[in-house]
Amino acid sequence: MTKLLALIDASVYAQSVCDHAAWAAARLDASVEVLHVLGRRDTSSIPADYTGSLSADARDTLLAELAALDEEKARLAQKRGRLVLDEAKARLAAAGIDAVTSLRLGDLTETVAEREMDAELVVIGKRGEAADFAKLHLGSNLERVVRASRRPVLVAARAFRPIERVLVAFDGGASALKAVDHIARSPMFAGLSCRLLMVGAETSDARKKLDGAVAQLAAAGYVPKADLVPGQPEQVIAQSVEREGIDLLVMGAYGHSRIRNLIVGSTTVEMVRSCKIPIMMFR
């Protein structure tokens, strides 16, 4: 049976991640594994350098107290983690989705790499509990997961709403082509309205790539509307999402930018930061 991997913490996005995972699982006839990873900062208080000017006795006393504190922090973190996972499982069960839960201690990306091996999709919230919501900062774990994951990543919006209209931000790059191929093959998108938007100069190469994407989707049974328009990708895509009532934005994690040293392209980061809808990303 197909499996989805849903990553949650104790942030306000946990319920939304479950709702988006439930939607995808229902369309894919899949089960969901809900994963909560406790990192070192969740359980450790011992500083890296505790020598300073402390005497041997004072140092030993301090270390003993910190070790006891760490033991209690680890116990509470695990207790909270189990509660978060229990709530997630109950929410998915209410939606009719089979789910298992996993609580792990360690590095997030290493754990995701291990658990996503048999997963079709990874679902994660836009921001975690440590993110600065007021400044619209993205969760640090989001980029880490997108950088490391070998699966498509669905970034959940703050709240779930029914998905009917899909916009593909297409730039002709490898990750955008991968996204189009996935849409053409996956039952997750079957029956949804699909639109292609390419932003840039009108060239024969750009038009050829866009026409090829249209043909691939048409062969899969879609009737995609496609446009090639000038402008700045961030602005044009955001305006189209708002104006057309798009429910899901699909795009490559690369592309739309000349800054190739970034794992996640600048346009992708801006779209995730500013759009109030879920975004599905491909590497």
Side-chain angles (χ1 to χ4, degrees):
M1 185 178 187
T2 303
K3 184 188 87 171
L4 308 184
L5 183 64
L7 310 180
I8 65 170
D9 57 13
S11 75
V12 297
Y13 276 85
Q15 291 185 348
S16 178
V17 167
C18 292
D19 293 343
H20 284 81
W23 171 81
R27 297 187 66 87
L28 292 169
D29 190 24
S31 63
V32 176
E33 178 182 356
V34 187
L35 175 65
H36 181 41
V37 180
L38 297 174
R40 184 178 184 277
R41 69 179 183 181
D42 298 306
T43 58
S44 178
S45 303
I46 297 179
D49 182 3
Y50 51 81
T51 53
S53 58
L54 296 177
S55 67
D57 289 342
R59 181 189 63 196
D60 291 344
T61 299
L62 175 60
L63 286 177
E65 292 175 349
L66 288 174
L69 177 59
D70 282 349
E71 184 177 349
E72 179 64 10
K73 284 182 65 177
R75 186 186 69 82
L76 291 175
Q78 291 180 34
K79 182 177 181 180
R80 184 181 72 161
R82 284 191 289 270
L83 289 173
V84 168
L85 289 170
D86 288 345
E87 290 179 359
K89 184 174 183 178
R91 193 174 185 90
L92 286 162
I97 303 300
D98 291 331
V100 297
T101 60
S102 299
L103 180 64
R104 295 288 186 270
L105 176 63
D107 180 76
L108 175 66
T109 55
E110 291 179 359
T111 307
V112 170
E114 172 192 340
R115 305 307 298 175
E116 74 168 5
M117 293 292 289
D118 57 344
E120 177 82 9
L121 176 72
V122 175
V123 187
I124 186 173
K126 186 183 297 187
R127 297 178 178 88
E129 56 187 312
D132 189 335
F133 281 70
K135 296 181 180 179
L136 296 181
H137 287 171
L138 298 179
S140 59
N141 287 333
L142 173 59
E143 184 168 350
R144 294 178 63 208
V145 168
V146 174
R147 179 188 298 121
S149 179
R150 297 181 179 275
R151 301 290 184 262
V153 177
L154 177 60
V155 183
R158 181 72 173 267
F160 177 80
R161 73 184 191 197
I163 295 174
E164 298 177 356
R165 293 171 293 277
V166 178
L167 175 65
V168 182
F170 183 78
D171 68 351
S175 55
L177 292 171
K178 185 176 181 179
V180 170
D181 181 67
H182 186 91
I183 292 172
R185 293 183 295 103
S186 175
M188 194 173 91
F189 294 89
L192 302 181
S193 171
C194 185
R195 162 155 156 62
L196 290 166
L197 177 62
M198 191 172 194
V199 183
E202 175 75 49
T203 66
S204 58
D205 183 60
R207 178 58 66 177
K208 180 179 179 181
K209 289 180 178 179
L210 184 59
D211 290 345
V214 169
Q216 184 173 5
L217 291 176
Y222 293 91
V223 186
K225 178 184 177 183
D227 291 297
L228 174 55
V229 299
Q232 294 297 318
E234 297 93 337
Q235 297 175 2
V236 175
I237 296 170
Q239 290 169 0
S240 295
V241 166
E242 185 70 24
R243 182 176 61 251
E244 300 172 26
I246 298 300
D247 304 310
L248 173 65
L249 176 63
V250 176
M251 64 191 307
Y254 294 101
H256 298 281
S257 172
R258 296 178 181 176
I259 309 177
R260 298 304 182 186
N261 61 318
L262 294 180
I263 292 297
V264 179
S266 60
T267 296
T268 309
V269 170
E270 182 57 32
M271 292 298 96
V272 175
R273 179 183 292 116
S274 62
C275 285
K276 298 179 181 180
I277 62 172
I279 298 177
M280 190 167 176
M281 292 190 287
F282 291 80
R283 289 186 57 233

